[in-house]
Amino acid sequence: NAGVTQTPKFRILKIGQSMTLQCTQDMNHNYMYWYRQDPGMGLKLIYYSVGAGITDKGEVPNGYNVSRSTTEDFPLRLELAAPSQTSVYFCASTQGGRNTIYFGEGSWLTVV
Amino acid sequence: DQQVKQNSPSLSVQEGRISILNCDYTNSMFDYFLWYKKYPAEGPTFLISISSIKDKNEDGRFTVFLNKSAKHLSLHIVPSQPGDSAVYFCAASEEGAQKLVFGQGTRLTINP
C-alpha cells in the first residue's frame, strides 16, 4: 500500500551543496509532479512530467532539475542549494484526466 | 499573481457546528475545483471536487458550492468534528491542463 514514496524525509544542506530528492510511485501513473510549500503559502508547482522521458517547467523551476527515465521514478535535483530553497517538498502523481492526485508525505529541506 | 486565494489563514469552529471555508479565483479558464486536506507532517489528501458544470457537490458531511459568476467556491463541513482540524487547500485546474493551482490554505480548528 505504498502509493507515492519520497526520500529523504528530512535533510539539512549547506549553501552550495547539491542533492536529489527521490520520488517513486507504484500506481503506474503517467503524471508526476513536484511541489514546494513555503510557510503560509500554498503549494507551488516546480516541475511536472506527463510520462517517461517528458518533463516540463511549472511556476517555480529555477534552481531545480528533474528527469523521468521510468514511469515509477521522478527525482528532483538541487544543484547549488540556496537558503531560498528551504521548504517542504511534495511529490505527487495521477493517472491523468480528472483522476485524484496523490501526494507523498513530504520532504523537509533546510539550507543553511 | 495569486490565481487561487484563500483569504482566511485560520478558522475556529465549535464541534458540531458548521465550518465554512472560502476560496476565490481569478482565472476564468479554470473548470475544475478541488479541496485537499492536510494534517501536520503528512501530504495533502483529496477531499472533494466540483466541475464547473455544477454548482454543488456533496459527499457525506462535506459539500462544495461553486459560484462561477462570482468566481467563488466554498466548502461546508457539517457537523464539524475534532478530526476535521487540519489545513484545507483549495485548488483549481484548466481543461486539458494536468496541473493544479493551489490557494494558500486555511487552518481549521474544531474546538470541543
Side-chain angles (χ1 to χ4, degrees):
Chain A
N1 197 22
V4 180
T5 303
Q6 295 179 229
T7 56
K9 197 163 181 73
F10 301 97
R11 182 74 187 267
I12 298 175
L13 273 183
K14 292 185 178 179
I15 295 172
Q17 284 185 321
S18 62
M19 75 159 297
T20 299
L21 296 175
Q22 302 291 345
C23 176
T24 187
Q25 51 93 7
D26 61 0
M27 297 173 282
N28 202 33
H29 286 168
N30 290 323
Y31 298 84
M32 295 188 74
Y33 310 85
W34 275 106
Y35 284 90
R36 60 177 284 174
Q37 184 194 6
D38 300 323
M41 304 293 287
L43 284 77
K44 299 288 186 185
L45 183 63
I46 306 171
Y47 270 96
Y48 67 103
S49 169
V50 301
I54 306 169
T55 62
D56 208 347
K57 296 178 180 179
E59 301 172 74
V60 289
N62 292 343
Y64 306 95
N65 279 301
V66 293
S67 60
R68 184 93 183 273
S69 56
T70 67
T71 299
E72 295 78 19
D73 300 307
F74 191 42
L76 177 71
R77 178 88 178 157
L78 286 73
E79 289 294 349
L80 289 170
S84 61
Q85 293 178 304
T86 294
S87 190
V88 184
Y89 292 83
F90 291 99
C91 181
S93 74
T94 182
Q95 185 52 43
R98 297 304 195 193
N99 289 294
T100 300
I101 295 180
Y102 295 91
F103 285 82
E105 293 188 336
S107 296
W108 274 253
L109 177 65
T110 301
V111 181
V112 296
Chain B
D1 178 27
Q2 190 76 23
Q3 298 185 71
V4 179
K5 298 179 184 178
Q6 294 175 255
N7 292 316
S8 298
S10 62
L11 176 67
S12 187
V13 174
Q14 195 170 1
E15 182 179 358
R17 307 293 289 265
I18 184 171
S19 295
I20 300 176
L21 294 94
N22 294 302
C23 178
D24 297 294
Y25 62 95
T26 57
N27 187 345
S28 57
M29 300 301 292
F30 287 148
D31 74 334
Y32 191 61
F33 304 88
L34 309 89
W35 286 94
Y36 275 79
K37 177 178 179 180
K38 184 183 179 304
Y39 292 119
E42 295 184 9
T45 55
F46 170 75
L47 189 57
I48 192 169
S49 64
I50 187 167
S51 166
S52 60
I53 63 173
K54 294 185 174 182
D55 54 17
K56 176 183 174 181
N57 189 28
E58 195 170 351
D59 184 3
R61 296 186 297 113
F62 303 92
T63 303
V64 56
F65 295 92
L66 175 63
N67 182 334
K68 289 188 291 293
S69 61
K71 293 190 174 68
H72 177 84
L73 64 155
S74 61
L75 174 68
H76 292 211
I77 306 173
V78 56
S80 299
Q81 299 174 353
D84 296 330
S85 294
V87 177
Y88 289 79
F89 289 100
C90 172
S93 69
E94 298 181 24
E95 182 179 2
Q98 299 295 336
K99 301 179 289 183
L100 293 180
V101 179
F102 284 84
Q104 307 97 309
T106 297
R107 181 178 301 279
L108 175 65
T109 303
I110 305 301
N111 302 305

